[in-house]
Amino acid sequence: MASIASPQRASNPGTKTVMPVLFAISLVHMLNDSMQAVVPALYAILEESLNLSMVQVGLIGFMLNMTSSVMQPVVGAYSDKRTLPNMLPMGMGLSLIGMVGLAFAPHFWVLLVAVVFIGLGSAIFHPEGSRVVYFAAGERRGFAQSVYQVGGNAGSTLGPLMTALVFVHLGQIGAIWGTLFAGLAIAVLFGLLPWYKRKLAEWEAERSRTASSRAGAAFVEKASHPRVKFAMGMLVFLVFARSWYHSGIGSFYQFYLKYDYGLTTQQAQIPVFVFLAAGVLGTFFGGVLADRFGLKNMIVFSIAGAAPLALILPHLSLFWAYPVIALLGFVILSGFSVTVVYAQFLMPSNVGMASGLTTGLAFGMGAIGGVALGQAIDMFGISNVMFVISFFPLVGLLAILLPSDRPLRLSRY
């Protein structure tokens, strides 16, 4: 790992962080993930209005995550070879269509089609959005990725609030408000396109010079080293395990609170909101701390460090559940943006694919967990499933096997 070339020199000649671009793409990330958050926010409403089973609820989440996640590395790999900046507003257009379909879907299968459109729009946005961040970051990679991911996590956090404030009162038709998110995102992206096209042209020119030099040839050979492949495989597996647990809390913990604690639908949104809101803070501070203490250290801390909190959560009284789930959200999501930066260090000439693998494919694999958990809840009950998934973060202990990123970080200086 110590011999891998610096991604800063290889792919991104700029060293200054472009804050206006960073904040703009973070805003779009928030709007995109807000649209995705509408889907799980409607779970409790749709369960009653369409008489859905837990398996069907899991299938909705599965379709959303599979389309939005599995397609990400495909889009990323394609855009690594052929730059298509106009894909950004086009993807948001698909999400807009999906929001309209979600608001007016009369039954389960139409609902799934609308969810696919929302997922595809997100799949197109994320790899290209990560590339925008890569160009705007300069040398502050952890900080930049955190700002970007905070936008996305903030959007996801809006889900429980939309349920409590909008969907409980308006029902499914309230999803039409999501079209405003899509419209604003499209407008911001059109404003970013001139800068993004210019940076893509510079990046392509730099990559061509690197590939034609002896140093560039050595770089490609080292980036395909078996240790790099092992590290990427391990990283995807860890994100997979984390996303299974996150899916359990984000999608089904509200039902656990309703059936085991006797909370109403509105009351059950509050702990879930606390979990997601704390995760926003964890995402930001995790990236900032990773710039100081190392990427691997933050990945180990974020996943394995959440294990004790996850283990005790199902056994707490309602009073203690609030602070513990807040701390759990902060810790487990403190490594969210860090995994993307770590992957980009490993694959600096394939930024889109690296981002797609860590925020896309791994989450698509985790979406399978949503279906499995829904089936398990129908068979064994919500209490038993919540107890079992509390052990999932223990998988994070495997993060100690990841190669150290310190040589990578020091190679920039």
Side-chain angles (χ1 to χ4, degrees), residues 4-317:
I4 296 178
S6 166
Q8 180 70 24
R9 292 194 302 267
S11 305
N12 190 10
T15 58
K16 184 178 179 181
T17 304
V18 187
M19 296 303 297
V21 170
L22 198 56
F23 286 133
I25 198 65
S26 179
L27 172 62
V28 176
H29 197 189
M30 183 189 73
L31 296 169
N32 176 84
D33 285 22
S34 294
M35 287 184 281
Q36 282 192 270
V38 168
V39 179
L42 281 169
Y43 282 168
I45 305 300
L46 296 171
E47 182 209 14
E48 298 178 0
S49 63
L50 298 181
N51 195 28
L52 302 181
S53 68
M54 287 295 111
V55 173
Q56 289 176 312
V57 170
L59 281 172
I60 294 173
F62 174 80
M63 291 300 294
L64 175 66
N65 286 294
M66 288 298 287
T67 51
S68 68
S69 302
V70 172
M71 288 300 295
Q72 282 192 39
V74 177
V75 173
Y78 183 77
S79 61
D80 281 334
K81 298 178 181 179
R82 182 180 180 182
T83 56
L84 296 171
N86 290 326
M87 290 172 61
L88 283 168
M90 289 172 56
M92 286 298 159
L94 293 178
S95 294
L96 189 151
I97 295 172
M99 294 306 302
V100 174
L102 184 63
F104 295 102
H107 52 75
F108 177 68
W109 296 108
V110 176
L111 187 68
L112 285 184
V113 174
V115 165
V116 168
F117 272 90
I118 296 172
L120 289 176
S122 182
I124 293 172
F125 166 74
H126 277 98
E128 289 298 301
S130 291
R131 198 190 312 276
V132 172
V133 175
Y134 188 76
F135 292 152
E139 293 186 345
R140 303 171 68 186
R141 294 291 172 82
F143 167 78
Q145 192 64 224
S146 290
V147 171
Y148 174 64
Q149 297 296 350
V150 161
N153 287 357
S156 299
T157 303
L158 295 177
L161 291 182
M162 286 188 285
T163 299
L165 301 178
V166 179
F167 302 136
V168 167
H169 304 289
L170 298 181
Q172 181 180 344
I173 192 65
I176 198 66
W177 287 99
T179 58
L180 297 179
F181 298 155
L184 178 57
I186 291 171
V188 174
L189 288 172
F190 272 118
L192 282 178
L193 278 183
W195 179 90
Y196 185 37
K197 290 178 179 179
R198 185 172 69 253
K199 297 301 292 186
L200 279 171
E202 295 173 1
W203 182 61
E204 287 288 349
E206 179 68 18
R207 190 166 61 167
S208 297
R209 287 193 296 269
T210 302
S212 63
S213 66
R214 292 179 59 188
F219 171 79
V220 173
E221 179 182 353
K222 293 167 185 175
S224 61
H225 194 281
R227 284 181 294 178
V228 176
K229 295 179 179 179
F230 167 79
M232 281 301 303
M234 178 61 69
L235 203 62
V236 169
F237 177 71
L238 291 172
V239 176
F240 172 38
R242 182 180 64 194
S243 63
W244 269 56
Y245 182 74
H246 194 274
S247 175
I249 298 298
S251 298
F252 298 110
Y253 190 65
Q254 57 182 300
F255 297 108
Y256 177 68
L257 292 169
K258 287 176 64 177
Y259 300 141
D260 279 49
Y261 289 83
L263 301 186
T264 66
T265 297
Q266 287 177 296
Q267 292 171 335
Q269 305 306 311
I270 297 175
V272 179
F273 169 75
V274 169
F275 173 76
L276 297 174
V280 174
L281 294 176
T283 298
F284 176 76
F285 285 105
V288 174
L289 292 173
D291 282 338
R292 181 178 179 85
F293 297 108
L295 302 173
K296 176 184 173 180
N297 292 336
M298 284 306 304
I299 293 172
V300 173
F301 169 76
S302 68
I303 306 178
L309 300 169
L311 287 170
I312 66 173
L313 182 63
H315 310 287
L316 298 173
S317 66

